Amino acid sequence: MKRLYTIIAGLLCWVSVSCHTDFLEVKPDSRLAVPASLKDMDALMDNMTVMNTTAVLIMGEIGTDDYYLNETEWNSLTNPYQKNGYVWAVDIYEGQQCPGWNNAYTKVLYSNIVLEGLSKIQPNDKNMEQYNRIRGTALFWRAWQFFQLAQIFCDDYEKETASQKMGIPIRLSSDINQSNVRVSIEATYQQILHDLAEALTLLPVLPKEKTRPSKQATLALLARIYLQMKEYALAKQYANQCLAISDELMDYNKVDSRLSFPFPLYSFGNVEQPMFNVMLEIQVFFSYLKVNPTLLASYEANDLRFPVYFLKANNDYTFKGSYNGYDTFNPFPALDELMLIRAECSERLGNHEDALQALNTLLIKRYKTGTYQAMTVANTKNILTEILNQRRKSLLFRGVRWSDLRRLRKEMGYILVRSLGTKKYELAPEHEKLYTWPIPDNVINLGGIAQNVR
């Protein structure tokens, strides 16, 4: 146990130092203990405060249309990336650090350390299951971070241009001195899919604890990734496989909307969560979040998502519907998202009945008992539009709206507008470059990485 504390403390020290400058420019102290046993590596992957948190997808949420700030609140923001991200500015960081970048590559570093440690161990019959689970876990965590980074720091995936456009640095070694080069978007996604394909063969179907990855969690993530890639047949395939393991949905009639945080904790009855994950709190949401009135008005009278998700504060509504059971956002795909992926992909593939069956299966659990009118091909004017609307109304502050805006902006013609006093800011479909955040200033200053032009 003492050795384990030394390992984790040493690695946290290494990482914390790198976060003050950059994860690429700090050389690890060769005297630091590194995990050498399966027990040590297991503990490193089980470190919830590192592995089960994210600061990347919250950056995308800053730019979405699900909330708004008034001018006084916006002026009071103290962090440049939150303030500038809200109005889709060209200069985001103003020379300051980017916590999301460092946070994600910290987890990549941890995963690479474990993968390298495992390569030095010869497993036997007694520890093979543990060995495989740890390797699958490290591959999963690395892929999950790479995917999140890709949603913020490179263009949306388009099959026709993915091999020509820049992706992210794909770091497969813990050696901080390795060359730092952005691969293509195609290579970025292929590495993500490669890691998850192997993890799928190594992880248990369901985890012992929901803080750990599993086959079900891997299938859920693959469904989200392939949807983002617009590979609808594959996205539906993985969504179906995930839901085949468990498709139990919460009945919102049994969720107490009077509570400050209505949903149960991940370990106390939240059947829709394949894996526990949290987005780190930031000022723009923790202090000032007010839900978009147009979005609020889209919920029907008997839709229980409204009282479960929202809390009236003065003349506005704030958001309380985190799936984590307290005041942090859950960024990992839950089973309701998988049902919506099944619905969207079915419709895009021409399977209208399958699409509506999936959508009705979800929504009947979201309306007051006996009030939901099932959608049919005959009574639904535009099935895809309805699915996308329900997707937005179901998945608020789950780390997907920014990705949805990116992949759908041309198809749906989304135009986002911010009003701050007399000033207006607009994000239209043709503003493609503003949908990709710049690489952090300190990373660019190190050299070797091309900047995203905004």
Side-chain angles (χ1 to χ4, degrees):
M1 184 63 69
K2 183 177 180 181
R3 172 179 168 77
L4 176 57
Y5 288 152
T6 302
I7 291 168
I8 294 177
L11 289 172
L12 286 173
C13 178
W14 171 9
V15 169
S16 66
V17 171
S18 71
C19 288
H20 287 293
T21 52
D22 182 75
F23 82 102
L24 299 172
E25 64 179 339
V26 178
K27 296 180 180 179
D29 188 337
S30 60
R31 296 170 296 176
L32 289 177
V34 294
S37 70
L38 294 182
K39 183 179 179 181
D40 290 344
M41 296 173 196
D42 227 352
L44 197 58
M45 293 289 91
D46 280 343
N47 187 352
M48 285 178 57
T49 58
V50 176
M51 306 310 295
N52 292 85
T53 61
T54 178
V56 183
L57 293 181
I58 197 75
M59 295 168 63
E61 289 290 337
I62 293 169
T64 71
D65 53 351
D66 286 344
Y67 77 107
Y68 72 99
L69 304 176
N70 61 39
E71 186 177 20
T72 300
E73 293 162 342
W74 182 76
N75 282 325
S76 70
L77 292 174
T78 57
N79 191 297
Y81 86 86
Q82 296 178 39
K83 190 171 186 178
N84 294 326
Y86 181 77
V87 295
W88 317 294
V90 172
D91 182 7
I92 293 287
Y93 311 111
E94 298 181 10
Q96 293 195 19
Q97 291 284 313
C98 174
W101 179 278
N102 291 334
N103 179 279
Y105 278 107
T106 293
K107 297 169 180 58
V108 172
L109 173 66
Y110 272 47
S111 299
N112 286 334
I113 287 171
V114 167
L115 291 169
E116 290 166 0
L118 290 172
S119 69
K120 300 172 184 177
I121 295 176
Q122 182 62 46
N124 54 47
D125 291 342
K126 292 183 179 180
N127 61 20
M128 180 63 77
E129 182 178 344
Q130 182 185 20
Y131 180 97
N132 286 341
R133 178 177 53 76
I134 295 170
R135 179 170 174 80
T137 297
L139 290 166
F140 176 94
W141 286 132
R142 187 170 72 181
W144 175 219
Q145 299 310 310
F146 284 157
F147 177 68
Q148 292 179 61
L149 288 160
Q151 304 315 295
I152 305 300
F153 296 109
C154 60
D155 287 352
D156 191 35
Y157 184 94
E158 295 283 353
K159 184 180 292 186
E160 297 77 15
T161 60
S163 61
Q164 287 84 46
K165 290 188 175 182
M166 291 184 295
I168 59 172
I170 296 295
R171 305 188 67 81
L172 305 180
S173 167
S174 65
D175 181 5
I176 299 180
N177 293 311
Q178 66 180 296
S179 60
N180 186 39
V181 179
R182 295 179 69 177
V183 302
S184 69
I185 294 176
E186 181 67 32
T188 297
Y189 275 80
Q190 289 307 311
Q191 183 62 52
I192 294 166
L193 296 174
H194 180 273
D195 281 354
L196 292 177
E198 184 178 352
L200 196 60
T201 68
L202 300 171
L203 291 169
V205 175
L206 294 171
K208 183 178 180 182
E209 300 289 345
K210 280 197 173 182
T211 53
R212 288 179 170 180
S214 63
K215 273 188 172 62
Q216 187 185 35
T218 305
L219 291 165
L221 182 52
L222 283 165
R224 181 188 281 187
I225 292 169
Y226 277 116
L227 180 69
Q228 196 64 30
M229 296 174 71
K230 305 179 183 69
E231 295 282 358
Y232 301 117
L234 287 169
K236 181 179 179 180
Q237 172 187 318
Y238 285 111
N240 285 342
Q241 289 182 29
C242 177
L243 292 167
I245 295 172
S246 172
D247 61 358
E248 184 179 0
L249 298 170
M250 283 186 285
D251 184 346
Y252 280 19
N253 288 278
K254 299 177 181 178
V255 176
D256 190 348
S257 63
R258 297 169 299 177
L259 298 176
S260 298
F261 306 110
F263 293 106
L265 292 167
Y266 67 95
S267 56
F268 294 96
N270 194 323
V271 295
E272 292 188 14
Q273 275 189 320
M275 190 185 73
F276 172 74
N277 215 226
V278 299
M279 286 192 273
L280 297 177
E281 294 176 352
I282 59 175
Q283 183 187 9
V284 69
F285 294 123
F286 186 70
S287 301
Y288 302 128
L289 191 155
K290 297 193 295 294
V291 180
N292 185 332
T294 302
L295 175 59
L296 290 169
S298 68
Y299 292 87
E300 295 179 333
N302 292 313
D303 191 335
L304 294 174
R305 288 173 296 186
F306 192 99
V308 167
Y309 285 175
F310 307 119
L311 176 68
K312 191 168 186 178
N314 299 320
N315 294 321
D316 299 300
Y317 282 85
T318 188
F319 180 73
K320 66 174 183 176
S322 169
Y323 264 32
N324 288 330
Y326 54 100
D327 60 347
T328 58
F329 300 157
N330 167 47
F332 195 79
L335 298 189
D336 58 344
E337 181 179 341
L338 273 293
M339 198 65 73
L340 288 161
I341 290 174
R342 174 190 279 176
E344 180 180 343
C345 293
S346 293
E347 176 59 21
R348 290 187 181 276
L349 295 169
N351 301 323
H352 310 305
E353 296 289 349
D354 288 353
L356 290 176
Q357 181 181 29
L359 191 60
N360 289 328
T361 298
L362 173 65
L363 293 181
I364 198 170
K365 299 285 189 178
R366 290 346 189 206
Y367 277 66
K368 288 183 181 179
T369 301
T371 66
Y372 179 67
Q373 299 295 314
M375 294 185 219
T376 66
V377 174
N379 69 16
T380 308
K381 184 176 180 181
N382 189 317
I383 297 174
L384 180 60
T385 298
E386 186 62 44
I387 292 168
L388 295 178
N389 288 340
Q390 296 300 336
R391 179 177 170 86
R392 185 186 182 193
K393 291 196 285 186
S394 290
L395 307 181
L396 280 79
F397 305 108
R398 303 262 203 100
V400 297
R401 181 59 180 169
W402 184 249
S403 295
D404 281 353
L405 288 168
R406 282 158 54 95
R407 75 181 175 92
L408 299 169
R409 67 180 186 272
K410 296 176 184 177
E411 179 182 5
M412 304 302 294
Y414 293 133
I415 298 177
L416 281 61
V417 177
R418 305 288 205 204
S419 295
L420 294 170
T422 59
K423 291 185 178 180
K424 282 195 174 182
Y425 304 85
E426 183 177 282
L427 183 63
E430 62 268 22
H431 299 153
E432 179 179 351
K433 293 177 181 179
L434 297 181
Y435 275 98
T436 302
W437 282 54
I439 303 296
D441 297 334
N442 55 319
V443 178
I444 294 297
N445 292 337
L446 290 172
I449 289 188
Q451 181 58 283
N452 294 322
V453 178
R454 283 169 67 87

